[in-house]
């Protein structure tokens, strides 16, 4: 019996510093705080606004198996101020990529169990969000990671296919605007590799190429971050190559069994790391949930 328990944290260094070093060794992390053995925060993405850091993360509970999106607010000194639930749906939500475009805050959480990818816009940042009815995407993309690059919007994601496809295929789409119309890249999948395909953080522009954090799932889901360099990208072709792989360093102990988000947020970088628990507690909850369903029938 094994249960992945994730912990999110803030590193007081820009992502460029980490990429240049090629390692997380020697970097201290300010852990956001693990809620409980059956609850955790994962997939942190952030944005600075009016000298405050807003960290959006998946708040997951093994007892319900349904993730929600919470915001954690920090002042300019990274002192914690407040936490609040901001998006809750009947289906699982995770990977809340957040950004600002044309004067509006937007969020693109993973929600493939709903059957589609939805874009949310803030009606009252950071507390209130509403779906943008103009946004339409061709597939229920998993861990969709958008980037404006060379005059177009690009979306990197994994497909809602088999369990293996979700971990081993990288797809791409492009559009003239964030809301679309989105076109699937004719070369999809642009990469097939269980060690470096599923997105795992913020795409970074590096000259005329892109560095995309992806997940190394060879030994375990989210075992590490593989940095993939994407070059020659246009609407007809794309090349990719593995640049390097980052693992959770010993200083992250006890959270050293995995690493699956690397999120650029100005002067800081957001990460999450995991430990694998062998406690049977989660499996007891799974049995109780199954029994409740049977009794309702």
């Amino acid at each position: 019996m094994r249960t992945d328990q994730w912990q999110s944290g803030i590193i007081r260094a820009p992502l460029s510093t980490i990429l240049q070093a090629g390692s997380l060794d020697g970097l201290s992390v300010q852990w956001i705080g693990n809620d409980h053995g059956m609850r955790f925060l994962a997939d942190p993405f952030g944005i600075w606004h009016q000298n405050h850091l807003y960290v959006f993360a998946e708040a997951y509970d093994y007892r319900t198996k349904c993730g929600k999106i919470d915001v954690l607010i920090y002042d300019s000194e990274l002192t914690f101020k407040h936490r609040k639930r901001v998006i809750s749906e009947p289906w699982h939500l995770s990977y809340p990529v957040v950004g600002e475009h044309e004067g509006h805050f937007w969020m693109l959480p993973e929600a493939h169990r709903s059957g589609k990818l939805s874009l949310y816009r803030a009606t009252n940042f950071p507390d209130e969000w509403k779906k943008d009815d103009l946004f339409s995407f061709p597939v229920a993309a998993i861990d969709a990671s958008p980037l404006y690059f060379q005059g177009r919007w690009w979306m990197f994601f994994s497909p809602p296919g088999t369990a293996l496809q979700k971990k081993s295929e990288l797809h791409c789409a492009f559009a003239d605007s964030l809301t679309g119309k989105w076109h699937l890249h004719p070369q999809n999948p642009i990469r097939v590799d269980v060690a470096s395909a599923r997105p795992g953080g913020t795409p970074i522009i590096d000259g005329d190429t892109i560095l995309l954090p992806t997940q190394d799932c060879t030994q375990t889901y989210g075992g590490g971050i593989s940095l993939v360099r994407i070059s020659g990208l246009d609407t007809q072709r794309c090349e990719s190559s593995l640049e390097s792989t980052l693992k959770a360093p010993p200083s992250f102990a006890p959270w050293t069994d995995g690493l699956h988000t690397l999120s650029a947020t100005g002067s800081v970088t957001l990460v999450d790391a995991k430990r694998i628990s062998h406690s049977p507690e989660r499996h007891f909850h799974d049995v109780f949930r199954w029994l409740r369903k049977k009794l309702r029938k």
Side-chain angles (χ1 to χ4, degrees):
M1 294 182 180
R2 49 183 290 159
T3 300
D4 288 354
Q5 296 176 333
W6 291 93
Q7 170 74 288
S8 293
I10 306 169
I11 295 176
R12 295 174 183 251
L15 182 54
S16 58
T17 298
I18 296 172
L19 297 181
Q20 185 175 9
S23 170
L24 292 168
D25 293 333
L27 295 174
S28 62
V29 58
Q30 177 180 329
W31 295 117
I32 285 176
N34 195 49
D35 289 327
H36 181 274
M38 292 294 98
R39 299 195 301 265
F40 60 73
L41 287 171
D43 295 348
F45 288 87
I47 192 167
W48 288 93
H49 179 59
Q50 295 180 348
N51 290 320
H52 282 74
L53 172 64
Y54 296 85
V55 178
F56 296 88
E58 169 200 356
Y60 187 81
D61 193 324
Y62 274 114
R63 294 166 296 185
T64 62
K65 288 196 169 182
C66 189
K68 313 296 183 182
I69 304 302
D70 283 7
V71 64
L72 295 89
I73 304 171
Y74 296 81
D75 66 16
S76 59
E77 301 300 318
L78 298 185
T79 301
F80 174 73
K81 307 299 289 185
H82 183 59
R83 174 176 173 177
K84 184 177 182 180
R85 177 71 37 87
V86 293
I87 303 181
S88 178
E89 300 284 11
W91 49 83
H92 175 75
L93 296 170
S94 62
Y95 205 81
V97 178
V98 65
E100 186 177 6
H101 179 59
E102 296 181 345
H104 298 281
F105 293 101
W106 54 264
M107 190 191 303
L108 199 68
E110 192 280 318
H112 81 277
R113 293 179 187 171
S114 71
K116 63 181 180 179
L117 179 67
S118 296
L119 177 74
Y120 293 75
R121 291 192 185 272
T123 56
N124 183 26
F125 184 86
D127 300 332
E128 299 173 11
W129 298 79
K130 183 180 179 181
K131 288 182 184 178
D132 188 329
D133 294 333
L134 296 178
F135 179 83
S136 179
F137 200 76
V139 297
I142 294 175
D143 293 351
S145 303
L147 177 69
Y148 188 75
F149 176 66
Q150 295 185 345
R152 287 189 178 91
W153 281 93
W154 300 88
M155 193 84 75
F156 302 97
F157 62 95
S158 289
T162 65
L164 180 59
Q165 286 177 310
K166 291 174 184 177
K167 294 187 293 186
S168 64
E169 289 190 10
L170 177 63
H171 289 226
C172 177
F174 56 90
D176 291 330
S177 69
L178 180 58
T179 53
K181 185 179 180 178
W182 286 93
H183 306 274
L184 297 177
H185 199 282
Q187 199 173 313
N188 283 338
I190 61 172
R191 187 171 184 83
V192 179
D193 183 3
V194 73
S196 58
R198 179 162 171 158
T202 311
I204 301 297
I205 297 173
D206 185 22
D208 59 354
T209 67
I210 296 168
L211 278 175
L212 177 68
T214 63
Q215 297 184 43
D216 180 358
C217 297
T218 51
Q219 302 299 319
T220 179
Y221 169 72
I225 291 291
S226 296
L227 294 166
V228 171
R229 185 172 297 278
I230 297 173
S231 57
L233 180 63
D234 61 29
T235 59
Q236 296 299 316
R237 65 187 185 93
C238 175
E239 297 177 4
S240 67
S241 59
L242 178 61
E243 188 83 358
S244 61
T245 299
L246 302 177
K247 299 291 185 179
S251 60
F252 279 21
W255 311 97
T256 55
D257 294 326
L259 181 76
H260 87 335
T261 306
L262 196 65
S263 176
T265 312
S267 59
V268 302
T269 302
L270 304 178
V271 298
D272 61 6
K274 77 173 177 180
R275 64 182 176 187
I276 298 174
S277 168
H278 296 280
S279 167
E281 182 180 0
R282 177 172 68 90
H283 301 280
F284 291 148
H285 287 292
D286 290 344
V287 172
F288 293 151
R289 187 169 50 252
W290 178 82
L291 287 173
R292 285 196 298 269
K293 288 181 180 179
K294 295 290 287 185
L295 290 173
R296 291 193 194 108
K297 293 181 179 178

